[in-house]
Amino acid sequence: MKGIGAVLIDIDGVLTVSWKALPGAVEAMERLRAADLPLVLVTNTTSRTRAAVAGRLAREGFPVGADDILTAPTATAAYLRAHHPAARCLLINSGEVGADLAGVELVGEGEREGEPEGAAGRDAPDVIVFGGAGPEFSYPVLNRAFRHLQRGAHLVAMHRNLYWRTADGFDLDTGAFLPGLERAAGVTATVTGKPSPAFFDTALAHLGVPASEALMVGDDIESDVLAAQRHGITGVLVKTGKYLPETHRTADGTPDHVLDSFAGLPGLLGYT
């Protein structure tokens, strides 16, 4: 593991499950901090702002602040400001992340039940933005998004995660809904969170290291680990969170390293 100068770390399923610290995770983070190893927490979490995530992690004992965290919403805001400046954006998301969408104009749904076709008119959104799934992903909301896409709205998704692990088990996420909407509307979403290359580029720029000197730790073999490896980053898969043996076995590639949990990372890096 010589030559690793910085670490990218997923949060949900790696450090925590349902925002409760996994065994040994806090101590492992403290050892990385003691070694002065630069790190950034990279997460597709769409239910909390960076400040809220940092506060929740701090209450669990993790030595991190908001500046250590890169979320899918902050990456999405950067993408929208660059590629759709002044666009009217309809956000469909479970959670309040408006504070991390600086410079983005968020609008209401426009068309309402009972309005005639096209009634939204010039008030219709220019971009449909999908965050994390939850009760907000109802049939009426998805159907109105479908109609806006038919009228020419662009589709942006913070991620394509199929599910995530909670204290009660797995819950469906945006990736369980997005492909059907794309197929029905004849469009392809631009993904701004993991596993998009732009997301990893942003994380590497934050750390100030090239991909060859970075390591990514995640529980999602596709979106976290193999995506990072395709970007030139060393990948480490942990067997916590959403990890499933069958998903590991049938994946399109092989992780550079596999650990039982994040607690084993300092040892892998030689910080014993």
Side-chain angles (χ1 to χ4, degrees):
M1 296 303 292
K2 292 181 179 179
I4 297 299
V7 179
L8 292 71
I9 307 166
D10 184 34
I11 297 175
D12 192 24
V14 176
L15 301 179
T16 65
V17 168
S18 292
W19 299 103
K20 294 297 182 182
L22 286 166
V26 171
E27 292 78 7
M29 179 75 75
E30 290 173 340
R31 288 169 71 183
L32 298 183
R33 287 297 201 193
D36 291 325
L37 183 68
L39 57 86
V40 61
L41 309 188
V42 289
T43 176
N44 278 348
T45 296
T46 55
S47 60
R48 298 169 185 253
T49 63
R50 290 196 312 156
V53 169
R56 191 67 186 83
L57 291 174
R59 288 194 292 276
E60 287 296 305
F62 290 100
V64 298
D67 290 342
D68 298 314
I69 298 169
L70 174 63
T71 66
T74 55
T76 300
Y79 173 83
L80 292 171
R81 290 192 299 266
H83 297 275
H84 297 283
R88 296 167 55 82
C89 300
L90 171 60
L91 174 64
I92 302 174
N93 180 57
S94 184
E96 177 51 58
V97 293
D100 282 348
L101 293 172
V104 176
E105 181 184 358
L106 298 178
V107 299
E109 293 178 9
E111 180 182 321
R112 301 292 178 180
E113 289 298 323
E115 290 184 346
E117 181 73 16
R122 64 183 181 181
D123 293 330
D126 305 304
V127 183
I128 306 298
V129 182
F130 275 80
E136 294 79 3
F137 278 51
S138 65
Y139 176 82
V141 169
L142 293 174
N143 195 51
R144 285 197 287 274
F146 169 60
R147 289 181 177 178
H148 290 312
L149 294 173
Q150 285 183 304
R151 297 182 186 119
H154 298 277
L155 179 59
V156 172
M158 295 186 186
H159 60 75
R160 286 185 176 275
N161 293 358
L162 291 169
Y163 51 83
W164 78 97
R165 183 182 287 279
T166 72
D168 298 320
F170 291 119
D171 282 356
L172 288 176
D173 210 339
T174 304
F177 303 91
L178 191 60
L181 187 61
E182 289 175 310
R183 184 174 178 183
V187 300
T188 300
T190 297
V191 178
T192 51
K194 294 178 294 180
S196 73
F199 189 88
F200 288 110
D201 281 337
T202 300
L204 292 172
H206 176 85
L207 292 167
V209 299
S212 61
E213 296 178 13
L215 179 148
M216 170 73 205
V217 187
D219 65 324
D220 187 318
I221 190 169
E222 294 291 344
S223 293
D224 292 339
V225 181
L226 297 182
Q229 290 179 192
R230 286 190 287 269
H231 208 69
I233 300 168
T234 298
V236 177
L237 178 66
V238 293
K239 296 182 178 181
T240 52
K242 66 171 62 175
Y243 174 86
L244 292 171
E246 56 266 35
T247 304
H248 186 178
R249 185 172 57 253
T250 59
D252 291 334
T254 303
D256 293 320
H257 303 274
V258 180
L259 296 173
D260 287 337
S261 72
F262 182 74
L265 185 64
L268 179 66
L269 293 171
Y271 302 132
T272 56

